[in-house]
Structure formats: C-alpha cells, structure tokens
C-alpha cells in the first residue's frame, strides 16, 4: 500500500512496449537502475509496464537501441493532477473551496441524540435534550469547543433523575448516552436499604451503580465482607457488581471398583414384636446363592392405629450381587472429573458464567486417578445488608 502511494505521489506512466527486443530493454533498464514494475504480457509481442515518469526519457533512449516501440497509455499521479489543475484554475479553486467547506462543516454538530441504555420510566428524553442545549450541546455548536467529560458531569448534576451520562462524537452527530436513577416503590425499599458487601473473595470486573456510591472499581481485589457500595443520604444502595470468582473441586476414581447391584428378587417379612421376641406372620426371605450374593435388610417401624403404636415390624430383604469392574484410564479420569465438577457446582449459589476451566490429573497409590479442577467464573457478588 505504501509503495502504491509513493508511486502516485511521484507520478508514473503506463507503457506498451512492442518489438523484438523487449527482454533486452528490460534487462538494460534494470542494469541502469530504472524503476520498471508491474510487468504484464498482454500478447506474445505486446508488453505492458509501469515506470516513474522521470525515467521516460531514459527508457526512450534504450528503446532506440533495442529497436522497440514505446507507447504511453496513461499518465497518473500527483504531478499530472497538478499540471491538469494549473491549466484549469477555476476547477482547482472550486475543489479547494469544496475541501475547505467540507472541513469546516465537519467541525459543526448537526444532530444531538439522546440514547437511553435502558427503558426510561420517570425521565423524558426531551428534558435531557433541553438541559443539554442550555449547556451548549445543540446543533450548530463547534464540537472542538465542547469538553465532553465536564459537560456530562454538569448534565448529571442538572438532571437529578440521571445516574450516569456519557457523551461521544460520531462524525457530525453527538450521542448522549444516559442511565436513569432508580426510583424504588415502597414495597422494594427494604431490598435496597443499607450498604452492599462482597459475599466472597473475587476480582472486580464490572460495576454498574444504580443508586449509591461505588467503593471499588474495575480490577480491584476484594475479600468476603468488603464494602462495595455505600448508601446515599436516603440510606439506599443498589448496584450490579460483576466479579471473577475461582472455585476448586476434587474427585477420584479407581481403575478397579466394587459394584453392588440389587438382584431382581426381594421379599417382605411381617413380624409381631413383643420385647425381644419376634413372631413371623407373613413372607419369606430370598435365598442367597453363590459366593457373590449377599442379603441386605431394612426394617420399617412406627405403625399406628387410632394414634396408638402397633407391635408390628415390616422387614424388607433384598438380594444383592457384588462384583469388581475394571475401568480404563479414560473412564477413571472421566469419573474423577465428574466428581470434581459436582463438588464445585455444590459450592455455587446463583447464576454465573464459566470463563475458564483448568484440570490436572494424578495417579495415586492403589491405582486411583485423582482430578484437581479449577473454575474461573463471572458472577454477581453483591450482598445487601441493613
């Protein structure tokens, strides 16, 4: 791109070269440090090249030596534009006036837009536009004379309903971005009375103040219990505090694990109790067959009739099959990771956004794969206290 710009500033010509000595002409030009570029064969005997217009005389001499014919197809660049405008002074003056007019108009504000960042409930855009006009933010003003930061602060002070103001220039348009100060109904005032504190250790990412005074900024590291937003004179504070929070989880899974499965057969035994004596009145237990079969029982008590306890006990007996199952390395790692994820999810209270996940595996003694998991999340950490 820079080469093209420099070529245009110096001026260049597009030449068509015909004849039998075209290759020799190019070689001689390169030997004599003549800048020839963008070489294209249009036909078998017609060559197109570009060269600086100052080198045109030297190229003509080489063309006579090599027996080639040069034909100028186009002349482009600043020197040729200058020559053209010198012969047409009225056109040059018109272009200059147009450029100066365009430059002057670009310094003027043509339109002022009020852009609420959320729906307005108690504030009217026209009110903001009128207050901005009184401060000089209006069509026809010169934007270079406007201090956007100072005007935004003054506008925020003049309009009590505004909690945030930002002014930016977009060409000849000024955008006034605003956020309305929250006005809380009576039934919500308890939810916003008092300060806002950090409910965990975190790194502050974003602070959006709706009501109150911010005590932290983007990039601050806070601990649980740190004051984030202090209330105003009305005792209220409300804000959205987004922060980066880290969680750690751990899980492990063996390469060989014991599996207990309930067999299809189960029985219920009904017994009458009196002291330590038991009388079976119905049902029978299943038979445990094979060395991998066991019996597990669960006793149900607390039966009543007309509010009086009955000496009745129900025992549920189930047959279980016990065996050992081997896991591959990938299966053991997957189970360990799932345990670690479950342990982290149990720590999270509320909505969050997962930003990064880091996991490391380690083989422990006894052929057990362990997974150490670390999550980096973005979540709301503000906790309101009266």
């Amino acid at each position: 791109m820079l080469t093209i710009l420099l070529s245009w500033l110096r001026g260049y010509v597009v030449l068509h070269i015909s004849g039998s000595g075209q290759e020799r002409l190019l070689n001689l030009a390169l030997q004599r440090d003549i800048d020839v570029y963008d070489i294209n064969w249009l036909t078998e005997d017609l060559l197109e090249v570009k060269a600086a217009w100052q080198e045109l005389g030297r190229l003509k001499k080489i063309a006579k030596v090599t027996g080639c014919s040069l034909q100028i197809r186009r002349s482009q660049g600043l020197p040729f534009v200058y020559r053209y405008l010198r012969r047409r002074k009225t056109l040059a003056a018109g272009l200059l006036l147009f450029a100066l007019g365009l430059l002057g108009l670009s310094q003027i504000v043509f339109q002022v837009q009020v852009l609420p960042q959320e729906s307005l409930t108690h504030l009217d855009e026209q009110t903001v536009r009128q207050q901005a006009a009184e401060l000089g933010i209006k069509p026809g003003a010169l934007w270079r004379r406007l201090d956007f930061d100072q005007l935004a602060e003054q506008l925020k002070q003049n309009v009590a309903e505004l909690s945030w103001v930002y002014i930016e220039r977009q060409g000849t348009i000024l955008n006034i971005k605003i956020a309305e100060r929250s006005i809380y109904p009576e039934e919500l005032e308890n939810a916003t009375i008092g300060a806002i504190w950090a409910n965990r250790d975190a790194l502050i990412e974003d602070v959006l103040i709706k009501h109150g005074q911010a005590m932290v900024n983007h990039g601050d590291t806070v601990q649980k219990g740190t004051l984030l937003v202090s209330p105003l004179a009305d005792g209220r504070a409300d804000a959205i505090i987004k922060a980066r929070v880290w969680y750690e989880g751990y899980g492990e899974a063996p390469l060989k694990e014991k599996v207990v499965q309930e067999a299809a057969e189960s029985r219920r035994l009904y017994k009458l109790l009196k002291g330590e004596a038991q009388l079976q009145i119905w049902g029978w237990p299943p038979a445990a067959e094979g060395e991998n079969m066991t019996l597990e029982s669960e006793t149900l008590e607390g039966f009543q009739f007309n509010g009086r306890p009955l000496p009745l006990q129900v025992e549920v007996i189930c047959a279980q099959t016990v065996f050992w199952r081997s896991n591959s390395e990938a299966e053991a790692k997957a189970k360990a990771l799932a345990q670690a994820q479950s342990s982290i999810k149990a720590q999270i209270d509320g909505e969050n956004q997962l930003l990064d996940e880091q996991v490391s595996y380690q083989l422990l003694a006894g052929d057990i794969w362990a997974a150490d998991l670390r999550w980096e999340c973005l979540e709301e950490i503000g906790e309101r206290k009266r």
Side-chain angles (χ1 to χ4, degrees), residues 60-74:
K60 288 181 178 181
K61 293 180 181 179
I62 297 176
K64 289 181 180 181
V65 175
T66 57
C68 294
S69 175
L70 291 183
Q71 184 181 7
I72 301 176
R73 302 298 299 176
R74 294 190 306 277

Side-chain angles (χ1 to χ4, degrees), residues 324-362:
W324 292 88
R325 180 173 63 193
S326 297
N327 294 319
S328 64
E329 178 181 334
E331 291 174 338
K333 287 182 177 180
K335 292 182 179 181
L337 177 60
Q339 289 185 13
Q341 291 174 340
S342 298
S343 66
I344 288 181
K345 291 177 181 179
Q347 304 173 41
I348 298 176
D349 183 18
E351 297 182 357
N352 70 351
Q353 177 185 355
L354 179 61
L355 300 178
D356 184 39
E357 180 182 71
Q358 297 179 359
V359 60
S360 61
Y361 298 97
Q362 183 181 5

Side-chain angles (χ1 to χ4, degrees), residues 55-338:
E55 305 290 349
L56 185 58
R58 299 173 63 188
L59 283 174
K60 288 181 178 181
K61 293 180 181 179
I62 297 176
K64 289 181 180 181
V65 175
T66 57
C68 294
S69 175
L70 291 183
Q71 184 181 7
I72 301 176
R73 302 298 299 176
R74 294 190 306 277
S75 300
Q76 295 182 341
L78 182 60
F80 300 103
V81 174
Y82 176 71
R83 290 180 182 179
Y84 179 81
L85 292 178
R86 281 188 63 185
R87 296 193 300 267
R88 295 167 174 81
K89 296 182 179 180
T90 303
L91 176 61
L95 291 175
L96 180 59
L97 291 176
F98 175 77
L100 293 176
L102 190 63
L103 179 62
L105 291 176
S106 65
Q107 311 302 312
I108 300 176
V109 177
F110 279 84
Q111 184 180 1
V112 177
Q113 295 185 144
V114 178
L115 305 177
Q117 301 304 290
E118 56 187 12
S119 299
L120 300 178
T121 56
H122 299 84
L123 182 62
D124 185 12
E125 292 184 16
Q126 188 61 31
T127 302
V128 178
R129 190 173 285 105
Q130 291 175 355
Q131 290 294 328
E134 293 180 4
L135 294 174
I137 310 174
K138 57 185 178 180
L142 296 178
W143 65 266
R144 288 187 178 276
R145 297 183 180 180
L146 301 178
D147 187 339
F148 293 161
D149 294 336
Q150 182 179 356
L151 290 172
E153 188 62 29
Q154 291 180 0
L155 184 60
K156 180 180 175 182
Q157 294 176 2
N158 293 349
V159 184
E161 293 85 355
L162 291 177
S163 64
W164 175 78
V165 180
Y166 179 74
I167 303 175
E168 66 175 2
R169 173 178 172 251
Q170 187 176 4
T172 58
I173 300 175
L174 282 186
N175 294 326
I176 304 177
K177 298 182 178 181
I178 61 173
E180 187 179 19
R181 189 182 302 277
S182 298
I183 300 177
Y184 301 101
E186 192 68 25
E187 62 269 17
L188 293 180
E189 70 173 4
N190 288 335
T192 58
I193 289 180
I196 300 179
W197 309 78
N199 60 9
R200 65 194 65 200
D201 300 347
L203 175 66
I204 300 298
E205 184 68 21
D206 191 20
V207 179
L208 177 59
I209 300 297
K210 295 183 177 180
H211 194 84
Q213 178 64 43
M215 307 302 294
V216 294
N217 297 302
H218 168 77
D220 291 347
T221 301
V222 299
Q223 297 179 339
K224 183 177 181 180
T226 301
L227 177 62
L228 302 178
V229 182
S230 61
L232 298 180
D234 59 3
R236 300 177 182 178
D238 190 15
I240 298 176
I241 312 295
K242 294 286 187 178
R244 293 176 180 263
V245 182
W246 288 266
Y247 296 94
E248 294 183 352
Y250 176 82
E252 58 182 36
L255 292 174
K256 187 176 182 181
E257 60 181 338
K258 182 179 180 181
V259 180
V260 179
Q261 289 184 344
E262 183 176 334
E265 184 182 16
S266 63
R267 294 287 186 268
R268 287 179 180 265
L269 297 180
Y270 294 86
K271 301 176 182 179
L272 287 175
L273 306 178
K274 188 174 183 180
E276 297 182 358
Q278 297 183 0
L279 176 62
Q280 180 175 328
I281 60 176
W282 183 261
W284 59 90
E289 299 180 356
E291 59 181 5
N292 293 330
M293 296 290 291
T294 60
L295 295 178
E296 295 292 334
S297 63
E298 179 183 3
T299 302
L300 305 178
E301 299 179 345
F303 296 96
Q304 295 183 354
F305 180 75
N306 288 336
R308 296 182 179 182
L310 296 176
L312 178 63
Q313 181 184 66
V314 177
E315 186 175 10
V316 181
I317 302 178
C318 301
Q320 294 180 334
T321 303
V322 181
F323 62 92
W324 292 88
R325 180 173 63 193
S326 297
N327 294 319
S328 64
E329 178 181 334
E331 291 174 338
K333 287 182 177 180
K335 292 182 179 181
L337 177 60

